[in-house]
Amino acid sequence: MKQIPPATFKPRLKVLNKEQAWAIHTAALEILEKHSFTVEHKEALSLLDNAGCSVKNENQVTMPAYVAERALKTAPRQIVLYDQQGNRAMDLADDNFYYGTGSDTIFTLDVETGERRRALLKDVANFARTIDALENMDFSMSMSNPEDAPIENIYVHVFAEMIKNSSKPICFIADSGRDIKKIHQMACAVAGGEDALAQKPFILNYSEAISPLRFPANVMEKLLFCAEKKIPICLPSGCNAGGGGPVTLAGAMALGIAENLVGLVIHQLANPGAPFLFAPNVSILDMRTTVISYGCPEWSLTQAALADMRDEIYGLPIWAYAGASDAKTVDAQAGAEAMFSILTAMQSRCNFIHDVGYLEHGNTSSLEMLVMADELVAMARHFSEGIPVNPETLALEAIERVAGGAAGSMFLSDPHTFENFKTAHFMPKLIDRFRYEGWEKAGKKDMQARCNEEALRILSQHQVAPKTDEILREIDLILAD
């Protein structure tokens, strides 16, 4: 009788047990019940008041646990993002993971000269075009806070550059309810109207509360706008251990989750069932340098813990980071820190993983770093697929042919090898495995040099699916308004 091969075990990282997960969640609810948070927006205050929260001194709010628990029940367990051509691209749920860039770096490493300089609009275009070409990158963020864009409309201009230079989903930033309306108009122009965009959203908004426990008016404007239009949104706070939150990770997580629950509650009160991506950002404030670290192990640990809490309690898709570094160049430290966060985020099954390509704790972007991280994601993915065990992979027939064959029989020339070598092994594109003589003959290039060549090749050769003249005219009119 033919036997059913065993299911493939996929390696998976867990860092919290059930009791720890519920203890952090319970602490978050206790924070909201006992300590007031500040909401600087009348409509949001009215929603909270009517839902059973206590509002005192104009904008100081406390929240009973049942209000947060109710919001957790109405938020959807799955968020689907489409590409700009209407194809299903990202299924944010359960164990699915997706990688992309970050936003708002002040500097970039010039891909032509290697110089660290202020970021420009052309850098937003270059990162979006590179993302469009990379096989393991799923969405764009602007990566830049460009010096040559008008400051009052900077996020509208970077959104237009991403639209023009990529077809993949976009995670965007906005400053307030004013510029998010313009960005929404642009997205509607690409999708074919507001209803079409609501049916197949290709945008997700990233916004932030201020730790500890403050929710400014402009943040609430964006939150309510996204709820009304059903634009997927995440609202993490910067609850970094020792800075915005307690120095201990459990306490920082409890405070960050409490802040995220406030955003979720207001969002779901405004429009129950609108899509909300859960999660705080909990890195550390480095006590020697006062920087928020992007290469530390703690951030990877807290987002792995949140993935455990998603599985145990929340059920909502979560926000995360990876592929970033505190190094100043694409060096050994950058590679080590990027791989650590990429692999742990994937092994934890975080869902929406941003900040790929950051250097200098988020101050500088690098196309070489992004290209290298794309290869590292591919390597981590191969590991995470596990070891399929079935008659074909056990290869007993091949072993019989070689072990029982004529003298000189070898696996290298066996048909099983020819049939399987392309899928059985990870095939790197940039990582060097040549013999020394071959590497020397090819110019003795290190990883940074090979990534630079690949980034330049993409920028010169990759063709993005063009937008119609009508869409481009509409985008230009919105920019000029």
Side-chain angles (χ1 to χ4, degrees), residues 256-314:
I257 288 171
E259 291 165 338
N260 218 234
L261 286 171
V262 172
L264 175 69
V265 165
I266 296 169
H267 186 261
Q268 293 300 299
L269 288 172
N271 191 1
F276 188 94
L277 194 68
F278 200 71
N281 289 322
V282 183
S283 182
I284 60 162
L285 179 71
D286 185 283
M287 296 298 165
R288 299 164 303 168
T289 61
T290 67
V291 303
I292 303 299
S293 175
Y294 280 68
C296 64
E298 291 88 349
W299 199 348
S300 293
L301 192 57
T302 59
Q303 65 186 18
L306 192 76
D308 291 342
M309 296 179 72
R310 171 201 60 199
D311 297 343
E312 185 65 39
I313 303 169
Y314 303 124

Side-chain angles (χ1 to χ4, degrees), residues 369-380:
M369 181 73 168
L370 174 61
V371 169
M372 179 175 71
D374 183 74
E375 179 105 327
L376 299 181
V377 171
M379 180 184 279

Side-chain angles (χ1 to χ4, degrees), residues 374-404:
D374 183 74
E375 179 105 327
L376 299 181
V377 171
M379 180 184 279
R381 192 188 302 274
H382 190 87
F383 177 85
S384 299
E385 286 297 320
I387 302 176
V389 179
N390 54 56
E392 180 67 12
T393 61
L394 287 171
L396 295 178
E397 293 179 358
I399 293 170
E400 182 179 350
R401 284 193 296 273
V402 173

Side-chain angles (χ1 to χ4, degrees), residues 286-437:
D286 185 283
M287 296 298 165
R288 299 164 303 168
T289 61
T290 67
V291 303
I292 303 299
S293 175
Y294 280 68
C296 64
E298 291 88 349
W299 199 348
S300 293
L301 192 57
T302 59
Q303 65 186 18
L306 192 76
D308 291 342
M309 296 179 72
R310 171 201 60 199
D311 297 343
E312 185 65 39
I313 303 169
Y314 303 124
L316 307 181
I318 63 168
W319 170 261
Y321 102 108
S325 173
D326 296 326
K328 312 306 179 286
T329 63
V330 185
D331 58 9
Q333 178 185 340
E337 291 178 343
M339 189 59 183
F340 183 88
S341 56
I342 285 171
L343 184 59
T344 53
M346 189 180 293
Q347 287 291 291
S348 308
R349 302 300 191 267
C350 296
N351 300 123
F352 195 96
I353 305 165
H354 82 310
D355 283 352
V356 176
Y358 271 7
L359 290 173
E360 195 194 345
H361 39 84
N363 274 349
T364 298
S365 60
S366 163
L367 282 168
E368 292 93 339
M369 181 73 168
L370 174 61
V371 169
M372 179 175 71
D374 183 74
E375 179 105 327
L376 299 181
V377 171
M379 180 184 279
R381 192 188 302 274
H382 190 87
F383 177 85
S384 299
E385 286 297 320
I387 302 176
V389 179
N390 54 56
E392 180 67 12
T393 61
L394 287 171
L396 295 178
E397 293 179 358
I399 293 170
E400 182 179 350
R401 284 193 296 273
V402 173
S409 295
M410 56 195 304
F411 289 108
L412 185 59
S413 58
D414 189 84
H416 183 266
T417 302
F418 286 91
E419 291 165 4
N420 291 282
F421 79 95
K422 288 185 178 178
T423 55
H425 298 174
F426 172 61
M427 297 287 182
K429 297 177 180 176
L430 297 170
I431 290 171
D432 174 52
R433 290 180 180 172
F434 286 103
R435 296 180 187 278
Y436 186 89
E437 292 77 11

